[in-house]
Amino acid sequence: MAEMVKLSVNGQEVEVEAGKNLIDAVGAVGIEIPHLCYHPALGADGNCRMCLVGIEDGRPPLVPACKTPAAEGMKVQLDAEHIKKIQHDVMELELINHPTDCPICDQAGECALQDYYQKYDGQESRMTVPQVQKSKKLDFGCGVIHDQERCILCARCVRFTRQITKTGELGIVNRTDDARVTTFPGRPLNNRYALNVVDLCPVGAMTSSDFRFKQRVWFLTRDKGICHGCSKGCNIFIDHHKEKYKDDIIYRYRPFVNEQVNGYFMCDEGRMTYKKENQDRLLVAKANNAESIISSAVDSLKNSISSSNKPVFLVSPNCSLEQMYAIKKLGEAKGATVSGFSDGYILEGDGDDFLIQDDKAANRAGLELLGVDTTKEAFESAMKEADLLVNFNNDLAKSYDAAALDELIGDCKFAMVATTQDALTEKAEIAIPAASYSEYSGSVINTDNILQMFNKAVVKNEPFDDIVNIVSRIGGDVNENSAAWAGMKASVPALKDVEPEQIPEQGLALNS
Amino acid sequence: MSDRSQLIETGTPFQFDAERDAEFERLVKRYPTRESMILPALWLTQEQEGWISAEAIGYIADRIGTFASKVFEVATFYTMYNLHPVGEYHICVCRTLSCYLLGKQQIVDYLYQELGIKPGDVSKDGKFSLEEVECLGHCGTAPVVQVNGEFHEDMDVEKMKALLATLK
Ligand code: SF4
Ligand code: SF4
Ligand code: FES
Ligand code: FES
């Protein structure tokens, strides 16, 4: 437990964590100190002066809260007239050369400058001279578009590239009102985390070429999720929206703070995986090599399993723990070999020492925990004798090229329960569309053995079943997540004492 | 006030000549970190070439082992670094507060009238270039003009005229 101190803010006594800077310390008890340049992941830079507060103890009349640690007995003033004046003055300074065209700015609705103007300024401009003009729509690389006129020079983006990615592509050149963020000629943004500057930028100066002008942010529903791009399991906001007469689709992923997993950031590749939730989805079921309604495909798969002598069930390492468990139970009941072979998901050497992992699957640790075999040998030897392969969303094309796949499957009957329409679902005799991870609730275990829960975010007009339900429809016992948990708690020692409803937001570190 | 960030690319790689190379190595030992060499390395470049190109900034960054963006920041911040070729006589007029209040604009206007160059320009014959620079540190005797590094204080149009006569 962190040491606590008592201090007063505007005369009201609060108890806060000792040593934290005032912004974070009193922020934790719900008192906002406006700030632009400070960011918890980047530290205090002290350049914007928006966080100036008064402290009644004989020190100078104004001190930056971002650089002032909370201490016992401190008397912090936020509502004194001279503090309100300085906040207003800083806002006025920031706005001297800022374009006043919020309605056409992509950041509108989630802009610190806009919010603070409403809250701390609200005055008409007194400027009568023309504004300084700078460059707009600069392509900084990595899908980052910069508008120098909207920039308030807080240097968050610059500090990110220097402190976090250590690639240092960005700098603030010139001085005074000509100062601007730019890249050195021929050395654009070139790192795998560059799009984080778009989230870090408190204003509309950094935008994502992928997202900009696609959707007004106030229409977006922000739901929490887990990125399934690799085994880090970064926590994300799934920003989605259903336009009238259209389907619910995802517009972007943004990192959600989880100190235990991803901190404040996520990688660019992971950020773009939202597209797979929207596009190329398997929408139509198939039975006996022909399009069918889902229930016929389900019946057909159920019958195939019953009549099969040697079925093989292949599980995706991206399945939720609950899905894996359901598939495993069904496999046991039907005498199937259950495999989680997915070597192709592992890109040796692709990971780094920050977030990105070699393993491009969200829940390989789950396969291991449930004791599902993942070896190539076991899978291939089972396939030699198999008369039915039921593939639960495992992208075999990652592990085999087309010719090897043909050889592997041979005459074996091939069924897919899949989210994506691809060569595999083409090839399958039976194909059943399933919900993808933004459309179901479940849990995954990341590379550091942290168990994380996520909830359904997107609700499609015609939602597909979670694999757990599909498994139950083709003859499994487990029909919902709670049933899977009851079974897992009883059979998996590491999960014995885990209460799924009580998994903390930061995830639960399992003792390995 | 000007945008100095539009660097000029020469299209040829830059490197220190033997003398500057040796000087760089001598100086680098004086500092606790290599980044401290940004200012001296920019000076060395300017001494060698008369101005600092995009290639030179990239070279300095790589040589020091720092980000090009940082050297870029420093080079554009200080007006004493020439980011384009300058004339035989490089005239710097201080534009900061004291000099501003005491009439730097008359001097700048006069130079335009006389030489046809505005701050940032080089005369057609390559003889003169003009720049408005930040405080030259002689505010007590403002306005201040510097020609090829040499100070001329307490300036006015008359004195500027006389000074130009000695340069032509
Ligand atoms: S681009 Fe955004 S993050 Fe970067 S300095 Fe400007 S306002 Fe700050
Ligand atoms: S590091 Fe992995 S989990 Fe995190 S955003 Fe990237 S792909 Fe997704
Ligand atoms: S947040 Fe403290 S000075 Fe910017
Ligand atoms: S203001 Fe011109 S020398 Fe200082």
Side-chain angles (χ1 to χ4, degrees):
Chain A
M1 213 28 221
E3 195 201 325
M4 302 301 275
V5 288
K6 284 207 179 74
L7 49 77
S8 78
V9 182
N10 302 336
Q12 172 205 345
E13 186 160 285
V14 292
E15 202 173 328
V16 302
E17 223 177 282
K20 277 202 164 176
N21 72 59
L22 285 175
I23 294 178
D24 285 345
V26 309
V29 295
I31 302 172
E32 178 192 75
I33 299 179
H35 58 279
L36 293 164
C37 70
Y38 171 70
H39 186 280
L42 305 172
D45 202 45
N47 71 52
C48 75
R49 316 318 273 176
M50 192 60 201
C51 69
L52 291 171
V53 297
I55 295 174
E56 300 167 58
D57 67 351
R59 60 179 98 194
L62 296 167
V63 296
C66 63
K67 296 220 176 216
T68 308
E72 182 71 36
M74 226 172 212
K75 290 198 180 70
V76 183
Q77 294 177 321
L78 283 177
D79 60 355
E81 280 314 309
H82 72 290
I83 305 296
K84 288 191 190 157
K85 169 144 187 349
I86 196 74
Q87 290 169 341
H88 159 74
D89 289 351
V90 171
M91 274 291 100
E92 185 170 37
L93 178 75
E94 297 292 6
L95 290 166
I96 288 176
N97 286 311
H98 195 91
T100 44
D101 54 2
C102 296
I104 59 153
C105 174
D106 202 46
Q107 188 86 358
E110 53 180 8
C111 173
L113 200 56
Q114 209 177 33
D115 295 347
Y116 288 172
Y117 172 77
Q118 303 284 346
K119 241 173 142 169
Y120 302 103
D121 188 4
Q123 311 279 323
E124 292 260 325
S125 172
R126 293 187 291 159
M127 296 305 293
T128 52
V129 295
Q131 292 187 316
V132 176
Q133 300 199 331
K134 299 181 188 170
S135 302
K136 297 174 96 72
K137 218 178 157 193
L138 292 169
D139 183 352
F140 274 0
C142 291
V144 175
I145 309 290
H146 181 64
D147 182 326
Q148 290 179 330
E149 291 183 344
R150 297 193 197 281
C151 171
I152 54 158
L153 299 167
C154 70
R156 283 188 187 189
C157 57
V158 174
R159 287 180 284 151
F160 176 79
T161 64
R162 292 187 184 170
Q163 296 168 26
I164 307 289
T165 59
K166 306 203 166 59
T167 44
E169 300 94 332
L170 301 176
I172 297 179
V173 296
N174 296 336
R175 56 159 82 196
T176 64
D177 53 2
D178 249 310
R180 60 195 69 191
V181 170
T182 193
T183 54
F184 182 72
R187 302 191 191 181
L189 278 173
N190 182 21
N191 70 72
R192 296 172 81 183
Y193 299 92
L195 284 166
N196 287 294
V197 302
V198 176
D199 311 317
L200 284 170
C201 181
V203 297
M206 292 288 192
T207 51
S208 144
S209 62
D210 181 65
F211 175 73
R212 70 203 302 257
F213 309 131
K214 300 266 163 63
Q215 190 53 269
R216 301 297 350 199
V217 301
W218 50 85
F219 290 129
L220 296 174
T221 307
R222 292 124 199 258
D223 277 307
K224 251 207 77 181
I226 306 283
C227 174
H228 279 45
C230 83
S231 59
K232 193 70 188 178
C234 293
N235 290 207
I236 53 174
F237 275 121
I238 299 176
D239 289 349
H240 62 108
H241 175 59
K242 176 179 153 39
E243 265 178 44
K244 209 171 177 185
Y245 310 123
K246 293 191 181 156
D247 210 349
D248 195 353
I249 58 165
I250 303 175
Y251 285 86
R252 64 177 178 185
Y253 284 167
R254 287 176 303 135
F256 181 91
V257 187
N258 184 337
E259 298 283 4
Q260 195 171 219
V261 177
N262 54 301
Y264 289 78
F265 305 118
M266 72 185 296
C267 80
D268 291 357
E269 284 145 84
R271 199 183 281 266
M272 290 303 142
T273 56
Y274 81 87
K275 294 186 176 173
K276 289 198 213 144
E277 297 294 280
N278 296 338
Q279 294 164 3
D280 301 327
R281 292 291 298 271
L282 178 64
L283 299 174
V284 182
K286 227 165 50 163
N288 301 321
N289 273 322
E291 280 189 8
S292 79
I293 55 168
I294 293 179
S295 59
S296 320
V298 167
D299 289 342
S300 156
L301 179 55
K302 190 172 179 179
N303 294 336
S304 306
I305 293 173
S306 306
S307 58
S308 160
N309 294 320
K310 292 219 182 283
V312 172
F313 289 0
L314 183 65
V315 196
S316 163
N318 263 329
C319 279
S320 69
L321 210 50
E322 294 82 354
Q323 295 168 348
M324 289 174 177
Y325 180 75
I327 296 165
K328 186 181 167 200
K329 290 302 280 182
L330 179 68
E332 281 165 7
K334 303 290 177 190
T337 304
V338 179
S339 167
F341 171 65
S342 48
D343 285 1
Y345 283 73
I346 301 172
L347 298 183
E348 211 70 61
D350 186 67
D352 57 24
D353 54 6
F354 186 31
L355 299 174
I356 301 172
Q357 304 295 310
D358 286 356
D359 184 0
K360 306 299 168 198
N363 198 18
R364 186 175 307 274
L367 285 174
E368 278 155 29
L369 189 70
L370 296 178
V372 176
D373 188 289
T374 54
T375 62
K376 185 173 190 172
E377 297 71 42
F379 174 60
E380 289 187 347
S381 83
M383 280 306 292
K384 284 208 181 78
E385 297 172 4
D387 55 5
L388 171 69
L389 170 62
V390 188
N391 179 350
F392 293 92
N393 213 25
N394 182 318
D395 187 0
L396 272 176
K398 284 186 159 64
S399 306
Y400 296 97
D401 62 24
L405 205 58
D406 283 342
E407 193 184 326
L408 175 87
I409 295 173
D411 305 331
C412 177
K413 191 166 193 176
F414 180 39
M416 286 274 330
V417 175
T419 53
T420 310
Q421 180 169 30
D422 55 17
L424 285 175
T425 52
E426 252 346 271
K427 198 172 166 64
E429 268 171 59
I430 304 171
I432 301 173
S436 192
Y437 62 90
S438 61
E439 300 149 20
Y440 61 75
S441 304
S443 42
V444 288
I445 303 172
N446 87 347
T447 182
D448 302 313
N449 229 9
I450 295 168
L451 171 65
Q452 309 195 82
M453 253 313 157
F454 57 94
N455 286 320
K456 180 192 282 195
V458 176
V459 181
K460 289 288 186 191
N461 288 342
E462 288 175 45
F464 296 122
D465 276 351
D466 176 352
I467 288 179
V468 172
N469 305 106
I470 296 174
V471 171
S472 120
R473 288 174 70 184
I474 57 177
D477 290 338
V478 177
N479 58 357
E480 56 182 16
N481 282 358
S482 59
W485 271 98
M488 290 192 291
K489 280 164 68 78
S491 60
V492 182
L495 300 178
K496 186 163 75 70
D497 299 319
V498 177
E499 293 302 335
E501 305 78 39
Q502 284 166 23
I503 295 173
E505 200 179 43
Q506 303 267 300
L508 180 72
L510 296 177
N511 313 321
S512 40
Chain B
M1 266 155 281
S2 60
D3 174 21
R4 291 165 50 83
S5 67
Q6 305 305 314
L7 297 177
I8 298 177
E9 297 182 40
T10 60
T12 46
F14 171 86
Q15 68 180 66
F16 285 143
D17 56 24
E19 188 188 329
R20 268 93 195 176
D21 202 88
E23 185 62 1
F24 180 94
E25 289 309 323
R26 187 183 74 82
L27 291 174
V28 76
K29 296 191 194 78
R30 297 214 303 220
Y31 300 107
T33 66
R34 290 181 67 84
E35 270 188 5
S36 311
M37 277 303 289
I38 296 179
L39 290 171
L42 286 167
W43 273 129
L44 287 174
T45 308
Q46 185 153 311
E47 218 177 81
Q48 180 177 316
E49 303 290 323
W51 67 288
I52 299 162
S53 65
E55 284 85 354
I57 290 179
Y59 170 84
I60 292 170
D62 296 344
R63 179 86 189 247
I64 292 174
T66 187
F67 306 128
S69 69
K70 270 198 185 173
V71 184
F72 192 15
E73 285 178 343
V74 174
T76 54
F77 185 86
Y78 292 110
T79 44
M80 66 209 187
Y81 293 123
N82 305 326
L83 299 179
H84 56 79
V86 294
E88 190 184 328
Y89 296 107
H90 184 51
I91 307 171
C92 298
V93 180
C94 172
R95 54 152 224 159
T96 310
L97 195 62
S98 307
C99 298
Y100 190 102
L101 293 175
L102 288 166
K104 69 93 191 169
Q105 195 57 44
Q106 279 94 298
I107 299 172
V108 172
D109 291 346
Y110 165 72
L111 288 170
Y112 178 62
Q113 205 182 26
E114 193 60 27
L115 305 172
I117 50 175
K118 290 203 283 284
D121 291 349
V122 186
S123 64
K124 281 212 181 71
D125 58 4
K127 204 147 184 203
F128 295 100
S129 54
L130 176 61
E131 197 75 74
E132 282 193 332
V133 299
E134 299 299 331
C135 180
L136 289 167
H138 285 231
C139 323
T141 48
V144 177
V145 174
Q146 216 184 17
V147 179
N148 291 352
E150 201 163 293
F151 278 89
H152 302 272
E153 297 163 58
D154 250 333
M155 291 298 282
D156 54 28
V157 171
E158 280 314 307
K159 288 183 183 167
M160 194 67 228
K161 199 181 237 171
L163 176 59
L164 269 194
T166 68
L167 304 178
K168 280 192 173 172

